[in-house]
């Protein structure tokens, strides 16, 4: 089998997605997600200019060699743009191989370790009582695990919270929105929220929270200790994660489990976190970390050190990534949980797929390959529109992590 052509589809059915389609001489094609939120065209150009010309004529079954060709062979290793581009190629090749062998991708990754994938949803409220209402709505939908984010008294806007009645979406069209931040107000407020959720809904619900990179290690240690009575499933991204040893300090102070990695793109972002057992859940995602091929190696390393997966699954990851993640989650032993932020129904129409949600779990179908397609006609009706993630400042104006 030979790769004959590859093309990119950049569309914006409510939000931007970059999709790579690789075609072969046997009529089989594969899909890969290349979406990097707020930087979409950088990845599209990288693929178009530097990767696609080198793919033509290759045997799509040689997944490992093609991966190394684009990783080692580029000389300029790592980084989110490069790794998202390689991920798209990798996903498409696994899709092709599954279709060619007439089997779902999970069978190529070791076979089924489980039939259902526990997911967590987002409950975002403008204030404490609104957040409690939204938690209730999601419990009614069957979710067993819920991430709570809330507006904080005295802060105009914060991560993860939409205006009342609106759906939260990280990126917005136009120039970056500016939000403001106070660590002090946040740290004082959050334990009250967790306490209120536990008082109202009891102990069985898995409760999660995303600190979104905003604390220092000692502040994160306080956060974790204050949260201990409410036994969170995890605290996510407690600190900015460039410095892996930060997590040792947090770890020394608290038993609240730690999840990190949605912006990682290589094993070298997390090798110490894993081997020194400084975290509990790895949030890396197939689209931003080079694809299924390297993540399989990372997951196997993590298994040795009792680190489980908790892949990123926000709306900026396309249904192609969700399908790939569900195959992956089905196969590996050390699956933990999968994030599920449902796509707009239009996105599901543009990307028809063979997975579904029911009563707190996701189920992958048994179509060959990844089991997801792209409706090219429909996609062409929604052209790319530039959008940005917000930026964040402390109350005195200092730039901060968003
Ligand atoms: O901010 O996907 O846990 N989920 C998150 C997401 C990320 C966005 C960035 O594009 O933190 O909402
Ligand atoms: Co996050």
């Amino acid at each position: 089998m030979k790769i004959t052509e590859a093309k990119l589809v950049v569309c914006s059915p409510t939000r931007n997605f970059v999709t790579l389609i690789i075609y072969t001489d046997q009529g089989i094609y594969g899909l890969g997600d290349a979406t990097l939120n707020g930087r979409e065209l950088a990845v599209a150009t990288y693929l178009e200019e530097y990767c696609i010309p080198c793919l033509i004529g290759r045997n799509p079954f040689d997944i490992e060699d093609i991966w190394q060709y684009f990783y080692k062979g580029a000389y300029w290793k790592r980084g989110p743009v490069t790794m998202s581009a390689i991920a798209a190629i990798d996903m498409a090749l696994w899709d092709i191989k599954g279709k060619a062998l007439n089997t779902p991708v999970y069978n190529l990754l070791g076979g089924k370790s489980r039939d259902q994938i526990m997911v967590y949803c987002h409950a975002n409220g403008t204030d404490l009582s609104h957040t409690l209402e939204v938690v209730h709505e999601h419990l009614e939908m069957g979710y067993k695990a819920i991430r709570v984010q809330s507006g904080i008294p005295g802060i105009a806007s914060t991560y993860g919270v939409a205006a009342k009645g609106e759906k939260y979406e990280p990126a917005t069209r136009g120039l970056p929105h500016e939000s403001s931040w106070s660590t002090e107000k946040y740290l004082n407020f959050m334990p009250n929220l967790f306490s209120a959720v536990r008082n109202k809904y009891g102990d069985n619900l898995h409760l999660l929270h995303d600190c979104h990179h905003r604390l220092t290690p000692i502040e994160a240690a306080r956060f974790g200790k204050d949260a201990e009575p409410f036994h969170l499933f995890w605290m996510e991204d407690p600190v900015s994660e460039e410095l892996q040893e930060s997590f040792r300090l947090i770890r020394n102070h608290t038993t609240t489990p730690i999840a990190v990695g949605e912006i990682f793109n290589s094993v070298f972002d997390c090798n110490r976190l894993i081997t020194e057992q400084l975290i509990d859940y790895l949030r890396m995602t197939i689209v931003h970390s080079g694809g299924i091929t390297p993540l399989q190696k990372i997951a196997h390393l993590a298994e040795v050190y009792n680190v489980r997966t908790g892949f990123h699954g926000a709306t900026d990851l396309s249904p192609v990534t969700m399908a790939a993640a569900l195959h992956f989650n089905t196969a590996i032993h050390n699956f933990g949980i999968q994030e599920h932020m449902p796509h707009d129904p239009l996105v599901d129409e543009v990307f028809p797929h063979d997975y579904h949600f029911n009563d707190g779990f996701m189920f992958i179908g048994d179509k060959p390959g990844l089991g997801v397609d792209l409706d090219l006609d429909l996609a062409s009706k929604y052209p790319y529109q530039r959008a940005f993630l917000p930026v964040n400042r402390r109350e005195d104006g200092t730039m901060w992590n968003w």
Side-chain angles (χ1 to χ4, degrees):
M1 197 187 288
K2 273 198 165 64
I3 295 172
T4 50
E5 195 196 337
K7 74 171 182 196
L8 279 157
V9 179
V10 184
C11 62
S12 194
T14 70
R15 67 160 347 282
N16 293 320
F17 293 109
V18 180
T19 312
L20 175 71
I21 313 178
I22 298 181
Y23 298 90
T24 66
D25 59 355
Q26 297 191 13
I28 294 171
Y29 62 91
L31 257 58
D33 182 18
T35 310
L36 182 62
N37 207 1
R39 294 291 185 272
E40 292 84 2
L41 298 188
V43 186
T45 306
Y46 190 95
L47 279 162
E48 215 143 44
E49 275 298 305
Y50 308 110
C51 302
I52 290 176
C54 308
L55 271 172
I56 310 303
R58 297 288 316 250
N59 178 351
F61 267 49
D62 296 344
I63 297 179
E64 178 73 27
D65 186 67
I66 292 176
W67 194 89
Q68 299 293 352
Y69 182 92
F70 287 110
Y71 180 74
K72 288 198 158 62
Y75 186 62
W76 311 108
K77 289 175 185 159
R78 305 166 63 186
V81 174
T82 307
M83 298 306 274
S84 300
I86 302 177
I89 296 168
D90 187 76
M91 268 183 255
L93 296 180
W94 283 100
D95 192 23
I96 289 170
K97 190 174 281 195
K99 287 173 178 168
L101 299 175
N102 196 28
T103 195
V105 165
Y106 63 73
N107 273 337
L108 307 177
L109 305 176
K112 272 196 175 180
S113 290
R114 59 194 58 75
D115 295 316
Q116 50 182 18
I117 303 300
M118 183 166 72
V119 294
Y120 72 90
C121 63
H122 295 185
N124 312 315
T126 48
D127 58 21
L128 193 148
S129 67
H130 182 219
T131 305
L132 291 178
E133 278 170 39
V134 183
V135 169
H136 179 76
E137 287 162 19
H138 284 88
L139 285 170
E140 296 281 292
M141 291 157 78
Y143 285 101
K144 316 292 179 238
I146 302 186
R147 186 191 90 164
V148 293
Q149 308 292 139
S150 172
I152 296 157
I155 311 183
S157 64
T158 188
Y159 164 75
V161 180
K164 212 165 182 168
E166 282 175 30
K167 261 195 140 182
Y168 175 72
E169 172 57 45
T172 47
R173 289 170 182 174
L175 291 175
H177 168 79
E178 299 222 352
S179 43
S180 66
W181 179 246
S182 160
T183 298
E184 297 74 18
K185 288 170 186 161
Y186 171 78
L187 287 177
N188 289 336
F189 172 76
M190 286 318 295
N192 302 335
L193 175 66
F194 300 145
S195 165
V197 173
R198 285 291 180 222
N199 281 336
K200 193 146 187 196
Y201 301 112
D203 280 331
N204 286 337
L205 163 70
H206 295 304
L207 189 58
L208 297 81
H209 177 72
D210 193 344
C211 306
H212 223 259
H213 330 263
R214 289 165 186 212
L215 306 176
T216 65
I218 200 68
E219 290 163 353
R222 170 180 156 194
F223 178 97
K225 280 178 95 155
D226 288 352
E228 278 171 21
F230 315 111
H231 53 93
L232 299 192
F233 188 93
W234 75 37
M235 59 169 166
E236 174 181 339
D237 290 337
V239 295
S240 184
E241 45 286 276
E242 291 101 326
L243 195 62
Q244 294 191 38
E245 56 257 48
S246 295
F247 289 81
R248 195 175 305 120
L249 192 150
I250 305 171
R251 205 62 159 170
N252 284 340
H253 286 284
T254 179
T255 57
T256 297
I258 301 171
V260 66
E262 70 181 41
I263 65 167
F264 291 173
N265 53 68
S266 149
V267 66
F268 302 108
D269 291 322
C270 57
N271 56 328
R272 288 172 70 185
L273 295 178
I274 293 171
T275 59
E276 296 183 28
Q277 303 186 66
L278 302 179
I279 60 169
D280 301 279
Y281 294 92
L282 189 63
R283 296 228 348 106
M284 289 174 79
T285 160
I286 287 167
V287 56
H288 300 143
S289 20
I292 291 170
T293 300
L295 259 192
Q296 226 187 352
K297 299 172 188 178
I298 297 170
H300 292 164
L301 175 71
E303 181 187 334
V304 175
Y305 295 98
N306 290 308
V307 175
R308 286 184 280 174
T309 61
F311 284 177
H312 193 197
T315 41
D316 46 298
L317 286 63
S318 94
V320 182
T321 290
M322 180 52 91
L326 292 173
H327 284 278
F328 196 97
N329 294 336
T330 296
I332 57 164
H333 173 67
N334 52 329
F335 165 71
I337 197 167
Q338 167 69 49
E339 183 176 24
H340 179 224
M341 188 179 167
H343 286 116
D344 188 277
L346 178 62
V347 175
D348 288 330
E349 236 186 286
V350 170
F351 294 93
H353 51 73
D354 194 27
Y355 60 79
H356 70 276
F357 170 84
N358 185 41
D359 200 29
F361 296 88
M362 296 286 269
F363 297 84
I364 189 77
D366 52 14
K367 281 205 174 132
L370 293 175
V372 53
D373 217 332
L374 174 57
D375 182 332
L376 290 170
D377 287 339
L378 192 56
S380 70
K381 295 192 178 125
Y382 302 97
Y384 167 78
Q385 297 202 29
R386 187 167 62 196
F388 283 103
L389 290 170
V391 297
N392 193 31
R393 293 182 188 278
R394 299 184 79 106
E395 287 178 312
D396 70 355
T398 309
M399 278 299 297
W400 199 238
N401 305 306
W402 171 66

